[in-house]
Amino acid sequence: MPGLPSFLEDHISQVPALQLLQNMGYTYLRPAEVYLERGGKFSNVLLENILEKQLRKLNKIRFKGIEHDFTDENLKKAIQKLKEVPFDGLVRTSEKIYDLLSLGESFEQEIEGDKKSFSLRYIDWEEPENNVFHVTEEFEAERSGSYEKRRPDIVLFVNGIPFVVIECKRPDVRDSLDQAISQHLRNQRKNEIPHLYTFSQILISASKNEAKYGTTGTAKKFWSVWREEPDTAPTVSALINRPLSQKQKENLFAERFAYVRKYFDEIEIEGREVTEQDKTIYSLCRTDRLLELAHKFIVYDAGEKKDRPLSTILCG
């Protein structure tokens, strides 16, 4: 095994996560690309350009046997509807956004002189392959009422909407997993970046050989270790040891020192063992599972956001 590089957090936890996620079907976007997709606004957590394209693709109006597109105006309204949900506490706001994502929204449109309301959806829950999945790192989000920024390590998007936030920590630091969970909890405070977490459905704290998950508003004591049966290690091993394409590598390592790519190229030749971080990311974030968890196993109960018992899908 090659010698460890100096920036352990980035190299040992974050880069392997990004490599795995790309082999799971996520398209990696560099931070600069994400900035453009957000309209050049750090206060905006939606990748609006991607979202608008997906809304156009997923939504058609059938009227008198003929298919029509939603107007540009209605697509813009649909995006604004998501963006302008007033903040009314972390969990209450999250619930309102969740309802929009789950149920869609109706918009009036005139077709052939007849004005009616037609339903528009943000996610295709039934056919995961109709959605697009992206991953980025060091996602800069502007704090509420401030120009200061926080930078969650990894954020996953479905149709340009942030669904998962991952904090990666170096494994040689005491209580590193607790630090990652505390970072999530800090970032959810009203004066931090709650506008990212009102969209997020799953939160993960990882440190190579250990990982826990929660959701928006989950107290530290309720963060859990994911256990899955049957063992996913053989499947995960094949994914983590599948080389990325040259284009993917160039994109991932473009803004890193040359020795970082060399380090991971050497690991690619030798192969690596499956970690708890790998298994947790695979179990919770593979595209079909992520949509299943978000759509069927997230509930709001007495002001709390919870995941239902998940034993019914552990064999998925």
Side-chain angles (χ1 to χ4, degrees):
M1 184 66 67
L4 294 178
S6 56
F7 303 119
L8 292 178
E9 182 175 308
D10 176 53
H11 294 179
I12 292 182
S13 184
Q14 195 162 318
V15 171
L18 294 168
Q19 291 175 314
L20 171 58
L21 286 160
Q22 288 183 82
N23 279 336
M24 287 167 53
Y26 289 83
T27 299
Y28 174 76
L29 296 176
R30 296 195 305 272
E33 295 174 300
V34 168
Y35 182 69
L36 295 177
E37 295 292 344
R38 300 162 74 183
K41 296 180 180 178
F42 290 117
S43 59
N44 182 19
V45 299
L46 297 175
L47 308 185
E48 288 190 33
N49 296 333
I50 292 171
L51 177 55
E52 184 173 345
K53 290 177 186 175
Q54 280 302 106
L55 293 181
R56 193 180 303 279
K57 172 188 169 183
L58 293 178
N59 295 284
K60 303 293 180 182
I61 297 170
R62 292 194 176 275
F63 186 74
K64 295 182 179 180
I66 300 175
E67 190 173 82
H68 302 266
D69 291 327
F70 276 87
T71 63
D72 291 345
E73 180 184 7
N74 272 334
L75 296 181
K76 297 290 186 186
K77 285 181 180 178
I79 294 172
Q80 288 304 116
K81 189 80 175 179
L82 271 183
K83 290 176 65 176
E84 294 178 355
V85 173
F87 188 80
D88 183 28
L90 184 70
V91 176
R92 285 192 296 272
T93 308
S94 179
E95 182 174 8
K96 292 173 185 176
I97 290 173
Y98 181 80
D99 287 343
L100 273 175
L101 297 180
S102 296
L103 305 174
E105 185 62 54
S106 292
F107 296 92
E108 275 195 348
Q109 187 160 320
E110 184 175 312
I111 299 180
E112 298 178 8
D114 197 351
K115 182 176 284 189
K116 290 187 176 181
S117 289
F118 300 95
S119 181
L120 177 147
R121 57 183 177 166
Y122 295 92
I123 308 288
D124 188 338
W125 299 104
E126 303 304 322
E127 303 290 341
E129 64 273 13
N130 289 336
N131 305 288
V132 292
F133 301 84
H134 292 85
V135 56
T136 193
E137 60 183 319
E138 304 301 325
F139 184 74
E140 289 190 273
E142 208 168 77
R143 293 178 60 190
S144 300
S146 170
Y147 291 115
E148 294 181 8
K149 303 176 186 71
R150 296 298 186 192
R151 295 197 305 177
D153 291 328
I154 296 175
V155 179
L156 310 185
F157 297 85
V158 181
N159 297 341
I161 302 166
F163 260 52
V164 181
V165 183
I166 303 174
E167 290 292 351
C168 301
K169 294 298 176 187
R170 51 193 293 174
D172 60 336
V173 174
R174 184 179 178 183
D175 298 326
S176 58
L177 206 62
D178 282 345
Q179 289 181 26
I181 294 172
S182 295
Q183 202 163 317
H184 276 299
L185 297 179
R186 179 205 67 191
N187 287 343
Q188 293 176 62
R189 294 173 188 162
K190 186 175 181 180
N191 64 341
E192 292 288 342
I193 54 172
H195 47 294
L196 173 62
Y197 286 85
T198 53
F199 286 96
S200 302
Q201 305 303 316
I202 294 175
L203 310 178
I204 296 174
S205 294
S207 179
K208 188 181 177 182
N209 291 315
E210 55 181 347
K212 288 186 177 181
Y213 75 98
T215 190
T216 304
T218 301
K220 181 181 287 190
K221 64 181 178 180
F222 294 120
W223 282 64
S224 304
V225 174
W226 182 274
R227 299 297 183 199
E228 183 148 347
E229 297 178 359
D231 186 14
T232 60
T235 301
V236 177
S237 180
L239 284 171
I240 64 174
N241 288 298
R242 180 198 300 167
L244 297 180
S245 70
Q246 288 303 309
K247 183 178 179 181
Q248 287 175 314
K249 290 181 182 180
E250 288 167 8
N251 206 25
L252 179 60
F253 295 107
E255 298 172 13
R256 292 180 164 90
F257 293 112
Y259 75 85
V260 179
R261 178 165 179 172
K262 181 177 182 294
Y263 170 74
F264 282 102
D265 282 344
E266 291 174 6
I267 289 179
E268 181 182 295
I269 294 170
E270 297 180 12
R272 71 174 181 86
E273 297 296 318
V274 174
T275 67
E276 288 303 314
Q277 171 180 296
D278 295 325
K279 290 192 284 188
T280 300
I281 288 175
Y282 173 76
S283 293
L284 295 174
C285 300
R286 63 183 188 266
T287 55
D288 56 339
R289 170 65 63 79
L290 174 59
L291 293 188
E292 184 178 19
L293 287 173
H295 196 217
K296 297 179 180 178
F297 293 88
I298 296 291
V299 295
Y300 289 83
D301 180 23
E304 294 184 354
K305 185 175 183 179
K306 304 176 180 178
D307 55 83
R308 294 187 211 168
L310 301 174
S311 57
T312 56
I313 64 168
L314 290 183
C315 60

